[in-house]
Amino acid sequence: MSWSTSPSCSSVCLSSSNGLGAPKLQNNQQRFHLSVLKKKGKGLPGHCRLSKVVAYYGLREPPYKLDALEPFMSRKTLEVHWGGHHRSYVEALNKQLGKNDVLYGCTLDELIKVTYNNGNPMPEFNNAAQVWNHDFFWESMRPGGGDMPTMGLLQQIEKDFGSFTNFKDKFLQSALTAFGSGWVWLVLKREEKHLALVKTSNAVNPIIWNDIPLTCLDVWEHAYYLDYKNDRTKYVNTFLDHLVSWDAAMVRMVRAQAFVNLGEPKIPVA
Ligand SMILES: [Fe+2]
């Protein structure tokens, strides 16, 4: 087995005392859990001499019970969407990663950026991005969601979209004009320093353009067909009125402001 890492990914060396453990999570980012077989290999430096390493990524559960979003998103939809589609992306990704140790040691964010490969996606990209997208989507909703954002997030939406009503209209239009399968994202544009709506096709995730996602909606038909058949309009409006977690979006924006200065508040220079 060769032992190499992509230049864009953090190198990982297994250094646990018994050689069987996983590296610790760093910067609150998920890393691959590692299952290491005991056999010793050849050609690897020092304590990294291991003949076979199986890297895998776990299926994260939504932060609520599968029936908690009813009646707006049914338990059946969660069972099929999370328990079926999302699970299959995780399993397919793990299978691919087992054959490509060049990608070993990446965080999922890094893996998406590396495998996007400047617009010439590698085979692992779709599954990696879909795992990230679905983790983010489940956490973008909550029981009793909808209503309006508050405080800084509402102010920023009003600043960048004119009003919250305008924002909702544009979100709906973005979702309805997303042809085929894809996603709608409210993002913070890191360079332009404002919020924007972004549509992406299939698995594409806006972090490849350095945008910071605040919330998202899955507009693949598998996300809404069981509950709304082909009525995407009703699905999108239900998301906005009853499901979206503005609390999660607010937390994400506040965290992003540590990296992006939106201009408010102005901090006097000493
Ligand atoms: Fe989906």
Side-chain angles (χ1 to χ4, degrees):
M1 187 197 85
S2 64
W3 181 268
S4 59
T5 58
S6 162
S8 298
C9 298
S10 305
S11 63
V12 174
C13 182
L14 301 174
S15 57
S16 61
S17 58
N18 61 6
L20 297 173
K24 292 180 181 177
L25 302 184
Q26 296 177 9
N27 301 325
N28 294 324
Q29 290 180 302
Q30 290 179 302
R31 290 188 178 271
F32 301 122
H33 298 258
L34 307 172
S35 175
V36 183
L37 303 183
K38 285 184 177 180
K39 295 177 185 175
K40 289 191 175 183
K42 297 178 180 178
L44 296 172
H47 55 275
C48 289
R49 285 179 185 169
L50 299 160
S51 65
K52 186 170 184 181
V53 177
V54 180
Y56 63 94
Y57 200 85
L59 176 65
R60 253 167 51 187
E61 294 185 8
Y64 36 75
K65 292 184 177 178
L66 298 189
D67 61 359
L69 301 180
E70 291 189 337
F72 308 110
M73 187 174 285
S74 67
R75 178 188 179 93
K76 185 65 179 172
T77 286
L78 267 291
E79 287 174 346
V80 171
H81 194 180
W82 171 75
H85 292 280
H86 188 170
R87 183 186 303 277
S88 70
Y89 296 129
V90 173
E91 290 175 349
L93 175 62
N94 291 334
K95 196 172 179 182
Q96 290 173 315
L97 293 175
K99 300 174 183 173
N100 189 350
D101 53 7
V102 170
L103 298 170
Y104 180 77
C106 294
T107 65
L108 194 55
D109 292 47
E110 290 168 339
L111 185 62
I112 290 169
K113 292 176 182 176
V114 169
T115 58
Y116 185 65
N117 193 29
N118 297 316
N120 296 295
M122 297 164 63
E124 294 85 354
F125 172 77
N126 282 336
N127 287 317
Q130 283 293 73
V131 172
W132 195 106
N133 296 349
H134 284 87
D135 285 342
F136 192 83
F137 177 51
W138 306 130
E139 293 174 4
S140 294
M141 297 185 288
R142 68 174 179 86
D147 203 5
M148 288 183 69
T150 57
M151 300 187 290
L153 179 56
L154 178 60
Q155 291 172 4
Q156 197 66 41
I157 286 174
E158 290 174 339
K159 180 180 175 185
D160 294 330
F161 294 93
S163 68
F164 183 60
T165 301
N166 277 350
F167 161 78
K168 288 176 71 176
D169 288 345
K170 288 184 177 179
F171 191 99
L172 176 62
Q173 288 309 309
S174 295
L176 296 183
T177 56
F179 185 75
S181 299
W183 298 81
V184 177
W185 307 82
L186 173 63
V187 302
L188 175 58
K189 289 281 184 184
R190 198 184 296 260
E191 302 302 325
E192 298 88 340
K193 300 179 180 176
H194 63 65
L195 302 181
L197 287 168
V198 173
K199 294 183 286 189
T200 60
S201 296
N202 299 317
V204 173
N205 176 311
I207 67 172
I208 60 177
W209 302 302
N210 222 14
D211 292 341
I212 301 173
L214 302 185
T215 194
C216 75
L217 179 62
D218 187 341
V219 292
W220 284 58
E221 204 169 72
H222 69 219
Y224 58 91
Y225 191 80
L226 287 175
D227 292 328
Y228 300 99
K229 296 293 184 273
N230 60 345
D231 192 345
R232 190 183 281 190
T233 301
K234 189 173 182 182
Y235 166 63
V236 177
N237 282 327
T238 300
F239 172 79
L240 291 170
D241 293 340
H242 300 288
L243 292 173
V244 60
S245 172
W246 289 121
D247 293 342
M250 179 72 180
V251 168
R252 290 160 176 164
M253 192 182 83
V254 169
R255 192 166 54 208
Q257 283 175 318
F259 306 97
V260 179
N261 182 355
L262 292 170
E264 299 290 345
K266 297 198 185 308
I267 301 172
V269 177

